Amino acid sequence: MKKTRNHLFLWLLLAALPLPGQGQERETLRFSRPEWNFGDIREEEGKVTHTFVGRNEGDEPLVIVEVTATCGCTVPSFSRKPVLPGEETPITVTFDPRNRPGSFSKELSVFSSRRERLARLRITGNVVARELSLEEEYPFDFGEGLRLDGNFHSFAYLYRGQEAATQFEAVNTTDEPMTLRLEPATADGFLTFTGPRELAPGERFRIGISCLVPTDSPRYGTVREEVALLVNGRRAGRTLTLHGIAVDPPQTEGPAPRMQPGETIIRFGTQRRSAGSRTLPLRIANTGTGTLVVRAVESQPGIGCSLRPGERVAPGKTLEATVTLDPGSLDYGAVSKRLLIVTNDPEHPSRTLRVTAIIED
């Protein structure tokens, strides 16, 4: 009995010991200076490097197999040659300050062949930003010497009856006066513009664009507006694009509906392209206290949905619908399509569901 107890005690003791790679770090690789401050770095002068030197203070050879950094701007270089006890090994770290103005602090972790973290290194400093060229400040060339800092803006939700606004920075890069006029390239009539009409040579200015979906408008769902720019009477080669989803204004009081789809990914699995259309069920539950109203349903080519604007779901009830897939209209391979449902749910006015399939011969 005593021998059995001793064996049990020994087994428990061994089980409590950490396995290789577990427990605390084995700090056998020591760096006298594990941190390095580059100070001020001028961005235009490019990459900087520093070499850390570690010493194996253990009793066994070690091999560095990986040095990980917290950012792609920080690249380590090291040797995988075994480091004998008492020997030193260098780790060179290169930092790229391009497009990273301001202070920085980057950590690197050094791992051994046993997946133990041998050490942590850190580089710090401050990047002094370079002066940008006009092409970098205003990367979008609209022609005739007009450049802008962007050509697209997303308003996210466009609450009906509430104006949403944005602005673009622009510059006349020529040494001649310029005239500028904006006009909608779409006919919804939701946009208004502000900005100068006469521009001096080299003048920097702002183009303001506001979008308002009227409360009494029947429009719900995706709103995509194109804005044409006329420079010196000629239409520019680019347009400004504005995007948003028209929804009900936020509800602050009273019973509120809550839309809860039964599934967010509708999987059709593998389908033959030569087969006919396939359908799967879609359940929309109302977990709120007010009546849920479907405002808009948008689907991409190849899929459809039986939900229709105006359908209503009482509190605590579920609406049964279907999603349709037309394999014959889709390309071979993996397919992922978007199904957008807009409702009067004040917390989540729109829900995007994914419809997936694999189309084969």
Side-chain angles (χ1 to χ4, degrees), residues 116-134:
E116 293 175 327
R117 179 153 46 193
L118 298 172
R120 286 186 175 93
L121 306 176
R122 183 177 295 275
I123 58 171
T124 58
N126 179 65
V127 177
V128 180
R130 63 185 171 85
E131 185 175 348
L132 299 178
S133 66
L134 276 180

Side-chain angles (χ1 to χ4, degrees), residues 11-175:
W11 183 86
L12 292 173
L13 179 61
L14 292 173
L17 293 176
L19 295 173
Q22 295 181 338
Q24 296 183 347
E25 298 171 10
R26 294 168 57 102
E27 297 181 341
T28 54
L29 185 65
R30 296 190 184 276
F31 294 81
S32 58
R33 296 190 64 178
E35 295 191 11
W36 179 258
N37 188 343
F38 284 104
D40 285 340
I41 302 171
R42 303 191 66 82
E43 184 182 355
E44 66 268 20
E45 293 179 359
K47 300 176 182 179
V48 293
T49 62
H50 174 72
T51 299
F52 296 93
V53 178
R55 180 183 178 88
N56 182 0
E57 296 190 353
D59 299 326
E60 300 177 357
L62 61 83
V63 177
I64 299 173
V65 296
E66 186 178 21
V67 179
T68 62
T70 56
C71 174
C73 61
T74 306
V75 180
S77 176
F78 59 96
S79 172
R80 289 182 171 84
K81 179 181 176 181
V83 185
L84 300 178
E87 285 189 346
E88 294 181 338
T89 185
I91 297 178
T92 300
V93 178
T94 301
F95 174 75
D96 187 354
R98 181 178 51 184
N99 298 325
R100 292 180 174 86
S103 61
F104 66 89
S105 177
K106 307 295 180 182
E107 183 180 273
L108 300 99
S109 296
V110 183
F111 291 94
S112 73
S113 56
R114 291 186 290 188
R115 302 306 303 163
E116 293 175 327
R117 179 153 46 193
L118 298 172
R120 286 186 175 93
L121 306 176
R122 183 177 295 275
I123 58 171
T124 58
N126 179 65
V127 177
V128 180
R130 63 185 171 85
E131 185 175 348
L132 299 178
S133 66
L134 276 180
E135 289 74 16
E136 290 173 312
E137 284 190 83
Y138 305 95
F140 293 88
D141 184 1
F142 279 72
E144 303 291 330
L146 176 67
R147 300 188 71 94
L148 274 71
D149 66 343
N151 69 342
F152 175 85
H153 179 79
S154 175
F155 288 112
Y157 286 139
L158 290 168
Y159 295 107
R160 293 151 55 85
Q162 298 183 13
E163 186 177 70
T166 188
Q167 61 184 18
F168 296 90
E169 303 285 339
V171 62
N172 173 9
T173 64
T174 72
D175 55 5

